[in-house]
Amino acid sequence: MKRLFVFVPVILLVFLLNSFVLKEKEAVEKTTEEAKSEPVNIVFKSIDGGQTWEDISKGLPENLRKDSIKGNSFFANDKGLFIRVGNGLYHSTPNATTPFWTKEIFPDEHSSIAPGKSGIFANNYWGINLKKTNGTSVWSPIFEILLEPRIRSVFETAGGTIFIGIDRGFFKTADDGKTWKHVHTGSLVGHLAESNGVLVAISTGRIIRSTDNGENWALVSSEGVVAWDVKKIKGGFAAVTSSSASNTRGLMTSYDEGKTWQPVDAGLQGKDFKDSIWRTWDDRPLLKAYMTSIIQVGENLFCIHPDGIFRSSDKGKTWKLLLPSIENKVFNLFVSGNVIYAIPSKGGC
């Protein structure tokens, strides 16, 4: 009986130890599985001018593929970053902490989103365009061009005029979509930018300019230069361009309201910089409305590149690498105030 009395506690001890080990193993496996399902390296955020970056992917759908968010599925404005995933519209405010995201239902038949002064625009490639009024969950149609395929861009000016870019130029409305006017007949239009009431845009790879709210447009870029992207910067505009003569990609700026443009030695010239532009725009001159290749935050310019995100503090003369690329993907950049968001992508929209 004494031997049995000693033996029983030993068995009990072994059982308890095995149970503890099994529970620990299950906890590790559960944590590992949760880590696998949690999205990582999808969205990065910087609040210090690009010096440090925080991964804010947590809160987006589990098992979200890193290359599933395309360039026409997200944007940032003064309210933060918006991302469309399926029928969900995810929003992260500039001061958001964990959880980083809130969600609302999105009309999933519309594949693209863009910011507007009075709300959010949503459109599909073939012609329906909707606007969501700020502060409500209502989406209402404002532009239907079922016979005009390929909406390229949506842009709203400071005065509330809305421009729609299609394969045959720009349409505009000054009365929230009640009436529309075809104001530019150039093909393959893309980005628009506005500064002090002056509009500049891309049309068939050239820079055009308007001083009368888009009623009339004049060509301002020189021969032999193809423009891929145009943005407002402090004191003027910047454009990412290519030169057929030198076969290089570069940066041009204008500080006289878009009248004249001067090339800037970006320090990223040559094959690498050329490849970055081609990859960003998906190897075709189909100008995407939502992909950003150059932005300004404070006094600094930021540019994307296959090697990562670069910053220039001297108006594009020299550049410093801030965030290396992930899995050979090119980042998309957006800004909300002084907050920078970066989303790695394989390119295209």
Side-chain angles (χ1 to χ4, degrees):
M1 293 296 292
K2 289 182 179 180
R3 289 180 182 177
L4 181 60
F5 179 76
V6 174
F7 185 63
V8 171
V10 171
I11 293 176
L12 181 60
L13 180 60
V14 172
F15 175 78
L16 291 174
L17 286 173
N18 285 337
S19 298
F20 176 78
V21 171
L22 287 173
K23 287 181 180 179
E24 285 294 308
K25 183 179 179 182
E26 289 174 357
V28 170
E29 289 177 348
K30 183 179 180 181
T31 302
T32 303
E33 286 301 315
E34 288 176 351
K36 285 181 180 178
S37 62
E38 272 189 7
V40 295
N41 295 339
I42 302 292
V43 184
F44 295 88
K45 171 183 175 181
S46 176
I47 60 175
D48 57 6
Q51 288 296 121
T52 60
W53 297 84
E54 179 184 12
D55 187 343
I56 63 168
S57 308
K58 186 176 181 180
L60 291 173
E62 293 184 355
N63 297 314
L64 178 65
R65 291 192 303 111
K66 295 178 183 179
D67 58 351
S68 62
I69 300 178
K70 301 301 182 181
N72 58 358
S73 301
F74 54 89
F75 70 82
N77 59 17
D78 59 342
K79 293 178 175 56
L81 181 66
F82 295 82
I83 296 179
R84 183 194 66 82
V85 182
N87 69 339
L89 183 64
Y90 292 82
H91 175 216
S92 181
T93 60
N95 60 353
T97 56
T98 306
F100 297 108
W101 303 93
T102 58
K103 178 189 175 183
E104 67 175 79
I105 300 302
F106 178 79
D108 57 358
E109 69 271 19
H110 298 88
S111 59
S112 301
I113 58 175
K117 180 183 177 183
S118 54
I120 300 173
F121 295 102
N123 66 274
N124 61 25
Y125 195 59
W126 301 105
I128 305 296
N129 193 283
L130 303 179
K131 181 173 71 171
K132 173 183 179 293
T133 303
N134 281 332
T136 74
S137 59
V138 178
W139 296 80
S140 54
I142 63 168
F143 191 50
E144 299 186 18
I145 50 170
L146 297 178
L147 300 179
E148 290 283 358
R150 302 184 183 227
I151 289 181
R152 300 292 183 187
S153 60
V154 183
F155 182 82
E156 187 172 6
T157 68
T161 300
I162 301 169
F163 288 85
I164 302 292
I166 63 169
D167 275 0
R168 295 198 300 108
F170 290 117
F171 280 84
K172 83 169 210 179
T173 178
D175 53 13
D176 291 327
K178 295 182 179 67
T179 59
W180 291 86
K181 183 178 181 181
H182 197 180
V183 293
H184 176 63
T185 58
S187 62
L188 290 178
V189 294
H191 280 144
L192 293 93
E194 180 186 23
S195 179
N196 297 324
V198 175
L199 293 170
V200 296
I202 303 297
S203 178
T204 321
R206 306 291 293 279
I207 301 173
I208 56 176
R209 175 178 181 266
S210 174
T211 58
D212 56 6
N213 201 30
E215 287 292 316
N216 298 280
W217 296 83
L219 187 66
V220 293
S221 60
S222 59
E223 289 288 342
V225 174
V226 177
W228 300 93
D229 180 32
V230 64
K231 289 288 183 295
K232 174 186 176 182
I233 60 174
K234 186 176 181 179
F237 300 98
V240 173
T241 62
S242 64
S243 171
S244 57
S246 59
N247 196 31
T248 59
R249 282 6 178 213
L251 180 70
M252 296 182 69
T253 56
S254 172
Y255 293 99
D256 59 1
E257 298 184 333
K259 297 175 186 175
T260 60
W261 295 78
Q262 299 77 37
V264 176
D265 181 8
L268 294 172
Q269 297 285 356
K271 185 178 184 301
D272 284 344
F273 194 63
K274 169 186 173 182
D275 289 345
S276 75
I277 301 303
W278 281 114
R279 288 178 61 184
T280 302
W281 296 104
D282 201 24
D283 278 337
R284 297 164 297 168
L286 304 182
L287 303 179
K288 312 303 181 186
Y290 311 103
M291 298 199 67
T292 305
S293 47
I294 184 168
I295 61 172
Q296 184 170 21
V297 183
E299 298 296 324
N300 298 315
L301 294 176
F302 292 80
C303 188
I304 59 175
H305 183 274
D307 291 339
I309 298 173
F310 285 77
R311 182 183 66 192
S312 174
S313 301
D314 53 12
K315 296 185 178 181
K317 295 178 182 177
T318 59
W319 296 84
K320 177 183 178 181
L321 178 63
L322 298 178
L323 181 63
S325 62
I326 297 174
E327 299 176 358
N328 296 317
K329 296 176 182 176
V330 177
F331 285 100
N332 302 279
L333 293 180
F334 280 100
V335 176
S336 178
N338 290 321
V339 177
I340 308 171
Y341 299 98
I343 300 179
S345 171
K346 288 184 177 179
C349 66

